[in-house]
Amino acid sequence: MSVSEQTPVLECRNLCISYFTRAGEIPAVVDFNLKLMPGEAHGIVGESGCGKSTVALAIMNYMGKNGGIVGGEILFEGRDMRTMSGEELRRIRGSKIAMVYQEPMASLNPSMKLGEQLAEVPIYHEGVSREQAIERSQKMLASVRLPDPQRIMNSYPHQISGGQQQRVVIAMALLSNPKLLLLDEPTTALDVTVEAGIVELIKEISAKFGTSLIYISHNLGLILETCSRLTVMYSGEAVESGDIGTVFTKMRHPYTRGLFSSIPVPGADKNMRPLRSIRGQLPLPFARPTGCYFGPRCDHFVAGRCDQGILPMLPVESGSSHFVRCVRFNEIDWSRATTRSDQHAPIETGAIVLNVSDMSKHYTIESGSAVLLGAKKTVKANERITFRAREAETIAIVGESGCGKSTFAKVLMGLEGATNGKVQLGDVDLANLPVQRRSENVISRLQMIFQNPFDTLNPSHSVGSQISRVIRKFGVERDPAKVEERVNQLLDIVKLPRDFAKRRPRQLSGGQKQRVGIARAFAGDPKIVIADEPVSALDVSVQAAVTGLLTDIQRENRTTLLFISHDLSVVRYLADRIIVMYLGKIMEKGTTEEIFSPPYHPYTEALLSAVPIADTSVKKRKIVLTGEIPSPSNPPPGCPFCTRCPYVMKGICDTQVPPQREMAPRHVIACHLDEATLRAMQPVITIEPREMEAELVAGGA
Amino acid sequence: MLKLIASRLLQMVLIMGVVSALLFFIFDSDKFKKQIAVAELGGFAVSALSDQDYQNWLERKGLNVPFYERYAKWVGGILTGDLGKSYQTNEPVATLVADRLKKTGILGFWVFALMIPLSLTFGIIAGMKEGSAQDRITSFISIVTTSLPEIATAVILMSIFALWLRWLPANSAMVGGWNWLALVLPVMTLVLYDFGYVARMTRASMAEVMTSQYIRTAILKGLPYKRVILRHALRNALIAPFTIIVLQMNWLLSGVVVVEFFFQYAGFGKLLLDAALFGDIYVIQAATLVAVFVAVLSQIISDVGYSFLNPRIRFS
Ligand SMILES: Nc1ncnc2c1ncn2[C@@H]1O[C@H](COP(=O)(O)OP(=O)(O)OP(=O)(O)O)[C@@H](O)[C@H]1O
Ligand code: SF4
Ligand code: SF4
Ligand SMILES: [Mg+2]
């Protein structure tokens, strides 16, 4: 039987979903179509709020209190789910269609043992006995490659790590061998190296059980690794759908093109080939324009054509499975990049401004065991951190959660005192100088941009007054007229309209708030700016704008930027030098070039292999880590990475602190592997030359 | 956990020490001594007493020594199990307090026995479906019953059931021996008052659980609704109300003064009130110690129970 004759596992036809609020009906998803064949993996990408999760929950027919399907149909194996009774739905949920959620911890019942949460699936769907159900659950735990299934069965969710929790949720979803698995951002809450393992598992499962997948993600790189087809959503609509290869290399919608131009892929470079963000912002669901929803942000907008009526999904060629929702896709010259972005010469770095030597920060915690009397434990959040930063240099500190990045920022800002070592800013030692005792001058030289633009602005003061307060406080200007002028200048620099000075933070979008945060950080003319994950809460198209802004301001002011991030793609794009941390220690440091090419530290190698890259021409060497991340309060005495390292040498790595090997001047790797082995490492990421119809990043043509 | 209990108990002993010393100090004033004399000998007799006679009376009563000596003696007595004697009735304080505690215990038992199942059931049902008819009705009843002060509820119930329908006695002093019927009105008053509070807490807790992601998981696993509620929601939803209910023990012990007084029920609250008005220092002392003990005990039970119900705390 050919593919076209098979019944699709799932088919959404002209699906429309709305939420009903006091403000009226909000159309969350409009005219959504999808056809999923047995064994197929279909990706849905889009920025936050575009309706991805709504689609997933609608497929489950779980619309919450105020949601509803207002049009179209959802056919599961040919039957319309909207006509099914509650009991029929119950029998399908969890047995034929199963779901994996974004936050594994929150989606497991905190007060029930995992074994019971697993076993109830076969008990209630197939009526098997408890013993059988438990046996099957254990087998399933083993097949999602969890160590010691017996122990996991008897644990509560909080007793296992996030990655293990997600494996349990996946095992739970697979227990009744579903036809369709819905994955809603299944790895977003996890670290990249853990994510890589889960993605590998998902691919294996769909191959082994023939399960059809719907994989929802905001990350194009992940979709590339997992799916064969893809739907791009924008503001509640599908704007483009087709085979992965086609959409990635021959996209036919200006939004998809914009999305690809704004993510940092290996070819991008902040000076020579800067990222291009999409101007404007996502319209709110009740403020969508007529005609094309993307119109106001589109460079190819033509009045009278793009703003008329309701646009249909059009096939790119007759009979092809590549569809776009754009009336002008045939007229746009896709071989030309739209606008040319500015190129700059690299910034020359200057004198050393910050010198951190052997800085350690230890926390003492009560091991609050509920049953026994508590003993004191030490968490070594930062251990012997040493590096220097120069004027106008961008230094990135990368690592996964709990590696001590934020602790380091806290010590620098004087929110915590160092336990040991020095942090020299000019001739002042900041290591044990709490912020209250720092002079105005020191504070103004060192400013911070926070991860979450939502909680760092005072909601009751206007944007202008928050910026001018900083200007006055650090004595940059005193004269009210001059202060106002400076506020306007700063707003210009962060590319916000000047009348935003009068707005309150709640009247701004996430990206705009982050820009205000940046304006405020630069208001006092700082020498050093610490940015703790400044873009990770933002959508990709906005991320590009914010990173661009940071580099521009840095170029102007010759500011040193300490960029803290878990996202290696952004780091590769922005940083001059990189420090890789793991469990409080520096594993490797060097220039960006040195970090991204061999010799690698084994952890850096794994990290590089784990990062999903949204580029079909990139080939990666697979390194999937096994083993668990040790508890920060009880790390191995030797190399902290020894529990997961593929090169581990038993008896040496786990007991002796690895030596600092200087592979090149200022390129240091902390590892027991000898120099020859390190130098013999092969590159993880290779780029195969490929015919691309246009250069996505910088202006080609 | 052991450490926590130990520190709570230590806390308790400290509170007891400070409070009892303070009480002794306050009731050491001449005014209170006179008051006791008036109560015992009659106002006229006291005013006729010469200074010398009054001193003799004080000496006979053991009231002439400085308060710290009396305090030390009293503490010594406690350690040997002697709580002293009531000035008012001359009974040993231990038997008096024990008897009254038993009475309040019976009252409290019935209040809990009715209030807990009622408020939990209504709270859970209301919280299962926020905004539904059952939710609105429960919320309305809870707000009405809780916002009425106990005394108002007592008056209303008494007028209806005792004065108008004449089904129940208006007075619960039970001078003629134990009478179950006389217990009904005080119990009803307290249940009505407490029901609204606990039901609303339960409702809030249940409603929060029902919107949690793990309930969504349970539903989307295809479990029957009954299983979702009974096995997944209930236990998590009961953690908060449990703590509150245990802490109500405290309220029942001394917060019932109004009700006991109104119905003339000879319980612990009334004992405390009478003793305070009389200046019956040893009774006050003993009652205070009991109250502190119960307060700390309920605190400990609620802590232990909380961590038992919540595996995240038990195994962290
Ligand atoms: N106040 C504190 N008391 C005890 N331990 C702490 C404290 N703050 C941080 N830690 C511990 O120090 C280690 C490093 O924490 P830190 O917050 O710096 O990590 P991070 O890399 O910023 O993680 P994430 O990416 O999740 O934000 C962790 O093990 C953390 O549990
Ligand atoms: S329809 Fe017009 S505005 Fe919309 S994407 Fe196409 S060209 Fe741009
Ligand atoms: S020291 Fe050993 S365990 Fe650590 S990274 Fe090197 S080889 Fe791996
Ligand atoms: Mg952090």
Side-chain angles (χ1 to χ4, degrees):
Chain A
M1 196 161 66
S2 75
V3 172
S4 58
E5 288 162 34
Q6 277 180 325
T7 340
V9 176
L10 182 82
E11 199 175 352
C12 298
R13 288 192 192 146
N14 312 330
L15 187 61
C16 296
I17 309 161
S18 290
Y19 290 107
F20 298 90
T21 65
R22 243 175 279 163
E25 178 179 345
I26 296 176
V29 171
V30 190
D31 187 27
F32 182 85
N33 287 282
L34 183 143
K35 199 184 220 176
L36 186 70
M37 288 304 182
E40 198 174 42
H42 195 111
I44 300 180
V45 277
E47 299 178 275
S48 64
C50 74
K52 301 179 300 265
S53 299
T54 306
V55 169
L57 290 172
I59 292 170
M60 277 291 200
N61 224 301
Y62 181 82
M63 292 309 306
K65 264 196 301 260
N66 65 339
I69 299 172
V70 291
E73 31 191 31
I74 303 174
L75 304 177
F76 177 71
E77 296 187 316
R79 287 191 55 210
D80 190 353
M81 293 183 72
R82 298 180 61 196
T83 60
M84 290 182 192
S85 70
E87 181 57 20
E88 275 176 298
L89 275 175
R90 183 187 77 67
R91 281 208 217 106
I92 288 180
R93 287 174 179 164
S95 77
K96 292 193 160 176
I97 309 179
M99 185 153 174
V100 175
Y101 313 84
Q102 173 165 355
E103 281 173 59
M105 178 68 190
S107 49
L108 290 167
N109 189 331
S111 67
M112 240 169 117
K113 287 198 174 148
L114 292 166
E116 195 173 347
Q117 300 192 46
L118 286 160
E120 61 185 3
V121 175
I123 290 177
Y124 281 91
H125 280 298
E126 294 161 52
V128 304
S129 73
R130 226 187 119 70
E131 289 69 39
Q132 269 180 305
I134 287 182
E135 198 193 306
R136 261 172 61 178
S137 308
Q138 265 191 35
K139 278 209 189 113
M140 191 50 86
L141 286 181
S143 69
V144 296
R145 287 199 309 274
L146 275 167
D148 202 356
Q150 185 89 45
R151 182 183 69 87
I152 304 241
M153 293 284 284
N154 273 313
S155 305
Y156 289 96
H158 71 274
Q159 293 173 304
I160 62 177
S161 72
Q164 291 178 327
Q165 286 164 0
Q166 196 61 300
R167 278 172 198 267
V168 170
V169 175
I170 292 175
M172 192 154 43
L174 291 176
L175 264 173
S176 50
N177 198 3
K179 290 273 183 304
L180 170 61
L181 189 57
L182 301 173
L183 301 128
D184 187 0
E185 305 261 9
T187 58
T188 306
L190 306 175
D191 277 327
V192 276
T193 53
V194 180
E195 171 180 88
I198 299 277
V199 167
E200 200 59 21
L201 174 70
I202 291 169
K203 286 199 282 191
E204 228 180 82
I205 284 164
S206 59
K208 187 162 136 198
F209 298 96
T211 319
S212 308
L213 301 183
I214 289 186
Y215 196 109
I216 293 174
S217 177
H218 65 278
N219 186 331
L220 279 163
L222 271 178
I223 298 285
L224 174 63
E225 291 197 358
T226 46
C227 300
S228 56
R229 283 182 65 78
L230 152 77
T231 298
V232 181
M233 288 186 73
Y234 179 77
S235 189
E237 280 184 338
V239 292
E240 180 156 9
S241 69
D243 290 332
I244 285 278
T246 319
V247 177
F248 268 62
T249 55
K250 291 201 171 83
M251 63 284 280
R252 282 293 175 265
H253 195 284
Y255 173 66
T256 317
R257 163 65 72 99
L259 212 52
F260 275 99
S261 319
S262 54
I263 44 179
V265 286
D269 175 301
K270 66 175 168 183
N271 297 312
M272 300 312 294
R273 308 170 71 179
L275 298 177
R276 257 201 341 257
S277 59
I278 305 173
R279 64 190 157 85
Q281 48 181 299
L282 210 72
L284 291 172
F286 42 82
R288 291 177 184 138
T290 45
C292 178
Y293 293 169
F294 188 58
R297 305 175 72 186
C298 182
D299 291 335
H300 305 283
F301 179 83
V302 171
R305 304 230 10 235
C306 300
D307 51 4
Q308 303 294 311
I310 294 163
L311 304 193
M313 274 300 244
L314 303 168
V316 171
E317 277 155 38
S318 68
S320 90
S321 62
H322 182 191
F323 291 87
V324 287
R325 201 185 292 274
C326 169
V327 288
R328 297 196 61 228
F329 79 90
N330 262 329
E331 303 155 27
I332 298 170
D333 181 359
W334 292 100
S335 64
R336 278 187 43 199
T338 38
T339 43
R340 196 184 172 88
S341 37
D342 301 340
Q343 298 189 354
H344 298 276
I347 315 172
E348 285 292 319
T349 57
I352 292 172
V353 288
L354 184 75
N355 195 347
V356 181
S357 51
D358 277 338
M359 196 282 284
S360 298
K361 170 69 195 172
H362 298 176
Y363 289 107
T364 325
I365 48 167
E366 298 262 336
S367 78
S369 165
V371 189
L372 296 164
L373 295 183
K376 292 260 194 318
K377 274 188 182 172
T378 309
V379 176
K380 296 181 177 169
N382 281 166
E383 183 76 345
R384 310 195 64 153
I385 305 295
T386 304
F387 72 92
R388 286 176 310 210
R390 292 170 182 279
E391 188 188 62
E393 195 173 31
T394 303
I395 298 203
I397 300 173
V398 284
E400 299 177 282
S401 76
C403 76
K405 310 178 295 274
S406 300
T407 303
F408 176 72
K410 281 185 199 151
V411 173
L412 273 191
M413 294 306 294
L415 304 172
E416 300 271 7
T419 315
N420 258 315
K422 280 202 159 95
V423 179
Q424 209 82 34
L425 174 75
D427 47 8
V428 194
D429 184 8
L430 301 179
N432 264 306
L433 198 60
V435 65
Q436 305 85 350
R437 288 194 5 240
R438 292 187 180 182
S439 69
E440 214 89 294
N441 179 283
V442 169
I443 295 177
S444 76
R445 274 194 286 167
L446 199 65
Q447 285 289 303
M448 181 144 179
I449 301 167
F450 296 90
Q451 169 165 11
N452 213 334
F454 308 95
D455 352 294
T456 49
L457 294 175
N458 185 337
S460 55
H461 286 125
S462 73
V463 166
S465 75
Q466 300 198 41
I467 299 175
S468 56
R469 217 188 115 248
V470 179
I471 298 174
R472 277 195 301 273
K473 185 169 166 219
F474 297 132
V476 180
E477 295 290 353
R478 300 223 181 263
D479 179 51
K482 288 227 173 104
V483 170
E484 198 189 318
E485 196 188 310
R486 178 84 186 131
V487 169
N488 284 335
Q489 269 175 12
L490 282 161
L491 287 173
D492 292 347
I493 291 173
V494 297
K495 301 197 173 85
L496 287 175
R498 288 189 171 189
D499 61 291
F500 270 42
K502 295 185 213 80
R503 292 210 188 178
R504 301 279 153 114
R506 75 183 134 74
Q507 295 165 304
L508 307 179
S509 73
Q512 289 170 339
K513 277 186 207 163
Q514 195 56 294
R515 285 174 206 218
V516 174
I518 293 173
R520 200 176 50 170
F522 281 92
D525 276 336
K527 290 312 292 171
I528 303 178
V529 168
I530 306 161
D532 188 358
E533 305 264 12
V535 295
S536 57
L538 306 175
D539 277 324
V540 273
S541 71
V542 186
Q543 275 185 15
V546 173
T547 49
L549 201 62
L550 278 174
T551 20
D552 287 348
I553 303 179
Q554 180 185 32
R555 187 175 292 116
E556 286 292 302
N557 300 15
R558 296 189 59 76
T559 320
T560 305
L561 192 61
L562 290 182
F563 189 86
I564 297 176
S565 178
H566 70 280
D567 186 343
L568 271 176
S569 312
V570 176
V571 161
R572 174 176 203 163
Y573 173 72
L574 268 186
D576 303 316
R577 295 182 59 78
I578 296 178
I579 295 168
V580 181
M581 286 183 64
Y582 188 77
L583 281 180
K585 290 188 182 166
I586 295 183
M587 298 281 105
E588 179 172 2
K589 58 185 174 190
T591 63
T592 305
E593 190 53 39
E594 284 162 347
I595 297 290
F596 278 85
S597 46
Y600 302 114
H601 185 281
Y603 174 61
T604 315
E605 188 189 28
L607 209 54
L608 291 180
S609 163
V611 180
I613 298 174
D615 188 336
T616 48
S617 64
V618 168
K619 292 283 165 286
K620 285 190 305 185
R621 199 151 48 84
K622 271 257 145 355
I623 300 155
V624 174
L625 297 179
T626 52
E628 278 301 301
I629 305 170
S631 146
S633 63
N634 188 20
C639 171
F641 189 52
C642 70
T643 55
R644 301 166 79 201
C645 179
Y647 302 88
V648 63
M649 294 171 282
K650 284 260 152 16
I652 303 173
C653 295
D654 46 353
T655 52
Q656 292 166 33
V657 176
Q660 308 271 329
R661 295 196 193 281
E662 188 146 11
M663 308 302 293
R666 297 183 67 204
H667 177 206
V668 180
I669 292 178
C671 180
H672 282 298
L673 292 177
D674 56 40
E675 257 195 72
T677 318
L678 288 172
R679 291 207 190 278
M681 283 182 164
Q682 294 302 305
V684 175
I685 299 172
T686 44
I687 303 177
E688 289 176 355
R690 163 180 59 103
E691 285 293 304
M692 187 69 187
E693 50 176 29
E695 288 210 7
L696 277 174
V697 179
Chain B
M1 183 55 46
L2 290 177
K3 202 168 149 189
L4 182 81
I5 295 177
S7 82
R8 277 274 150 74
L9 288 177
L10 186 73
Q11 221 177 1
M12 176 180 85
V13 172
L14 277 176
I15 297 174
M16 284 178 169
V18 172
V19 172
S20 57
L22 208 65
L23 284 174
F24 258 103
F25 178 70
I26 292 168
F27 284 95
D28 192 51
S29 69
D30 282 335
K31 191 171 153 277
F32 274 106
K33 288 178 186 167
K34 265 264 166 58
Q35 196 182 328
I36 295 171
V38 170
E40 187 178 301
L41 308 171
F44 180 71
V46 172
S47 57
L49 233 51
S50 71
D51 249 13
Q52 186 54 44
D53 288 340
Y54 182 56
Q55 288 305 326
N56 286 344
W57 179 83
L58 284 178
E59 201 178 325
R60 212 165 53 240
K61 284 277 170 189
L63 283 172
N64 58 341
V65 290
F67 84 93
Y68 46 85
E69 269 180 42
R70 277 167 61 211
Y71 182 58
K73 207 170 135 213
W74 177 75
V75 172
I78 292 181
L79 296 181
T80 59
D82 175 17
L83 289 173
K85 274 189 178 169
S86 160
Y87 286 126
Q88 196 175 6
T89 61
N90 226 10
E91 272 178 273
V93 171
T95 36
L96 190 65
V97 171
D99 175 57
R100 299 301 190 92
L101 259 184
K102 201 178 98 195
K103 292 248 173 70
T104 294
I106 294 172
L107 180 66
F109 172 82
W110 285 106
V111 171
F112 269 10
L114 293 172
M115 183 276 293
I116 293 176
L118 268 178
S119 51
L120 291 188
T121 313
F122 276 84
I124 294 285
I125 289 175
M128 256 160 64
K129 257 203 156 135
E130 235 181 320
S132 60
Q134 67 248 36
D135 179 22
R136 279 165 211 217
I137 293 169
T138 308
S139 296
F140 179 74
I141 299 177
S142 321
I143 290 174
V144 170
T145 55
T146 319
S147 46
L148 278 181
E150 284 156 288
I151 188 83
T153 319
V155 170
I156 294 170
L157 289 179
M158 188 198 266
S159 333
I160 296 177
F161 293 102
L163 305 181
W164 180 40
L165 295 172
R166 295 187 178 280
W167 289 349
L168 299 166
N171 183 308
S172 309
M174 304 190 193
V175 271
W178 185 256
N179 177 3
W180 284 109
L181 273 183
L183 197 64
V184 175
L185 282 181
V187 167
M188 263 168 80
T189 310
L190 290 170
V191 166
L192 269 183
Y193 180 72
D194 212 19
F195 162 81
Y197 179 61
V198 177
R200 263 189 309 161
M201 287 296 175
T202 313
R203 176 200 167 273
S205 170
M206 183 70 179
E208 195 193 314
V209 167
M210 287 309 287
T211 55
S212 72
Q213 295 192 24
Y214 57 84
I215 292 300
R216 185 180 71 186
T217 309
I219 293 173
L220 295 185
K221 255 165 120 177
L223 299 179
Y225 194 61
K226 220 170 101 190
R227 167 92 180 167
V228 174
I229 297 293
L230 293 180
R231 192 64 193 84
H232 285 265
L234 217 50
R235 168 148 177 192
N236 292 300
L238 287 182
I239 295 177
F242 166 80
T243 327
I244 289 162
I245 289 171
V246 174
L247 294 177
Q248 302 284 311
M249 275 170 60
N250 219 352
W251 164 76
L252 268 181
L253 192 66
S254 36
V256 294
V257 175
V258 176
V259 170
E260 289 189 350
F261 179 77
F262 185 83
F263 290 105
Q264 289 297 306
Y265 183 74
F268 187 79
K270 190 160 176 299
L271 174 74
L272 198 58
L273 183 71
D274 291 345
L277 293 176
F278 191 86
D280 202 345
I281 179 72
Y282 291 121
V283 175
I284 295 175
Q285 288 289 13
T288 310
L289 295 193
V290 169
V292 172
F293 177 75
V294 170
V296 175
L297 184 73
S298 54
Q299 199 43 264
I300 291 178
I301 294 179
S302 106
D303 285 348
V304 173
Y306 182 74
S307 65
F308 183 76
L309 284 171
N310 198 340
R312 243 180 299 187
I313 293 180
R314 195 166 12 136
F315 296 107
S316 62

